[in-house]
Amino acid sequence: MRLTTFQTPQGATTYGAVTDRGLVDLGARLGTRHPDLKSLIGDNAMVLASEHLDKVDYAASDVTWLPVIPNPNKIICVGLNYEDHRAETGNSVSAQPAVFLRVPESQTGHDSPLLRPRESDTLDYEAEVAVVIGRSGRRIAPDAAWRHVAGLSCYNDGSVREFQRHTHQYTPGKNFPRTGAFGPWMVTMDEIPADSALTLSCRLNGKIMQHATTSEMIFSIPRIISYVSTFTTLVPGDVIATGTPGGVGARRSPQVFMRPGDTVEVEIDKIGVLRNTISDD
């Protein structure tokens, strides 16, 4: 299934399944027991949700897409996880993943604008595969990691480079409101075989800026889950953004940053296309 969170034409926030015919409002059907998508995932109720796909409620064009999980307990991001990106940044090889955090306020949904903050014009794109945790765990072994994954999604880990480089900590440049995007939906793992090599790309105004496969990751998704769950308990609805390949705007010559009026797209095969325009905050 493809599952997402959205706002109805009447302004209500709900969640549902995305089908070729339109969106099914699962919140209207299951909301008493499962008030949001995080709750549905946590109760492992996707099979129950699949029993309500006969009638669609909204066309995709009628809703406002929200981040797939708008209320995660935590958003964990991995940096420098593709060799070509590590090389273009000039960073040394690390024995462990580089990890930082985003806050929910820093995200927006599909077809909503990313906001370039007034403090900087260095808003950069980063195409990434997002992992949505479906089962709690601590100290998860790599060979058990996929059993803790509910689904995969597209992520644009938008970065305000100037603020990212104020110190050795990435946090300021990664957390301006609505500078990152998450969506349009998550695809459940029954549709994506574990350890599939996924192709991801980023297009800016139609031009391909990044292109890679997940087989090029330095640290695999199971390795990331195992490492992260060593220092924190992963819970349903947690999001892990697994790193971006080479080709980011800050490392190009001349540099390329996203500007108002631009359109940026993150595409991952087997998942879909996450599209956003750029506006000034």
Side-chain angles (χ1 to χ4, degrees):
M1 277 188 299
R2 292 176 290 173
L3 298 171
T4 195
T5 303
F6 60 95
Q7 191 176 71
T8 70
Q10 295 76 33
T13 296
T14 187
Y15 66 94
V18 183
T19 74
D20 293 338
R21 296 171 290 119
L23 277 73
V24 178
D25 188 346
L26 294 174
R29 293 165 172 78
L30 305 174
T32 300
R33 181 174 177 183
H34 307 290
D36 54 27
L37 184 52
K38 183 169 70 173
S39 171
L40 183 84
I41 292 169
D43 288 344
N44 195 26
M46 272 90 83
V47 173
L48 176 63
S50 69
E51 299 172 356
H52 295 271
L53 305 183
D54 54 326
K55 181 178 180 295
V56 301
D57 299 288
Y58 304 103
S61 58
D62 292 338
V63 306
T64 299
W65 303 84
L66 300 176
V68 176
I69 306 292
N71 57 338
N73 181 272
K74 46 191 169 289
I75 305 162
I76 298 164
C77 303
V78 178
L80 307 172
N81 197 29
Y82 288 77
E83 176 56 27
D84 59 349
H85 181 49
R86 185 206 64 78
E88 71 181 357
T89 64
N91 282 276
S92 58
V93 177
S94 172
Q96 305 295 346
V99 176
F100 57 93
L101 300 179
R102 291 189 78 115
V103 297
E105 182 191 20
S106 72
Q107 303 182 130
T108 193
H110 172 66
D111 267 347
S112 292
L114 294 173
L115 298 183
R116 185 178 71 168
R118 66 185 64 175
E119 290 81 5
S120 176
D121 63 359
T122 60
L123 180 60
D124 207 346
Y125 52 82
E126 291 193 18
E128 308 199 10
V129 176
V131 173
V132 180
I133 297 298
R135 177 183 166 197
S136 294
R138 177 87 194 280
R139 301 186 177 95
I140 300 167
D143 61 2
W146 284 112
R147 296 200 291 272
H148 293 261
V149 177
L152 303 177
S153 186
C154 302
Y155 207 94
N156 190 339
D157 185 25
S159 304
V160 181
R161 297 298 188 193
E162 179 184 351
F163 275 73
Q164 181 183 350
R165 294 175 183 154
H166 280 173
T167 70
H168 294 297
Q169 301 298 320
Y170 293 168
T171 300
K174 296 287 188 173
N175 282 286
F176 278 85
R178 296 176 63 181
T179 49
F182 180 21
W185 46 69
M186 58 169 270
V187 177
T188 54
M189 293 308 298
D190 58 317
E191 296 194 16
I192 305 177
D195 292 318
S196 294
L198 303 175
T199 300
L200 68 158
S201 59
C202 177
R203 294 184 294 272
L204 184 61
N205 299 323
K207 180 180 178 181
I208 295 177
M209 310 300 283
Q210 296 178 287
H211 186 79
T213 72
T214 53
S215 61
E216 299 171 52
M217 285 181 173
I218 297 172
F219 302 102
S220 69
I221 288 173
R223 174 74 173 83
I224 293 168
I225 290 172
S226 179
Y227 179 77
V228 169
S229 68
T230 303
F231 65 81
T232 187
T233 301
L234 292 173
V235 299
D238 281 353
V239 179
I240 303 176
T242 57
T244 199
V248 298
R251 298 298 173 175
R252 290 177 173 268
S253 182
Q255 292 181 319
V256 177
F257 294 114
M258 298 186 292
R259 303 189 179 282
D262 286 350
T263 298
V264 61
E265 297 171 298
V266 173
E267 181 170 7
I268 305 174
D269 69 318
K270 299 183 178 66
I271 299 176
V273 178
L274 168 65
R275 181 182 304 106
N276 299 92
T277 56
I278 313 301
S279 297
D280 271 334
D281 187 357

